[in-house]
Amino acid sequence: MDYALELPWDPDVARAQQTKAGLDPTKAVQRIHRDLRDLIKHPLPGVVVSPDDENLDVVHALITGPFDTPYEGDFFHFLLFCPH
């Protein structure tokens, strides 16, 4: 089942549907927090991640262009949305 296409944008409705389907949204949140903690402690070269101060479902990622590519010296900012 492709949840990205079937879950509504309202987080409360999405959470209720996931719970009804037998999914545990707390496991996803725990996994996201663990992965963020690992990326902050052990950053990947050229990648910086930071959770949003106001919304823990949003993660900011800044990626720098790799050397010897047309993207060298460029910065790419991504907003990652992690719904429950």
Side-chain angles (χ1 to χ4, degrees), residues 6-7 17 21-22 29 32 34-35 37 40 42 44 46 49 55 64 68 73 77 80 82:
E6 296 191 20
L7 289 178
Q17 286 183 357
V29 172
I32 291 167
R34 185 176 64 237
D35 289 347
R37 189 173 45 247
I40 291 169
H42 309 287
L44 299 171
V49 296
N55 186 351
T64 58
D68 296 326
H77 179 241
L80 307 171
C82 306

Side-chain angles (χ1 to χ4, degrees), residues 2 6 11 17 21-24 27-28 33 37-39 45 50 53-57 59 67 73 79-80:
D2 188 355
E6 296 191 20
Q17 286 183 357
L23 300 173
D24 184 4
K27 287 184 180 183
H33 287 181
R37 189 173 45 247
D38 288 346
L39 283 170
S50 174
D53 291 335
E54 297 177 12
N55 186 351
L56 294 177
D57 292 342
V59 177
F67 294 111
L79 286 176
L80 307 171

Side-chain angles (χ1 to χ4, degrees), residues 45-49 61-66 71 74-78:
V47 178
V48 178
V49 296
L62 182 69
I63 300 175
T64 58
Y71 307 107
D74 290 335
F75 295 92
F76 303 92
H77 179 241
F78 297 89

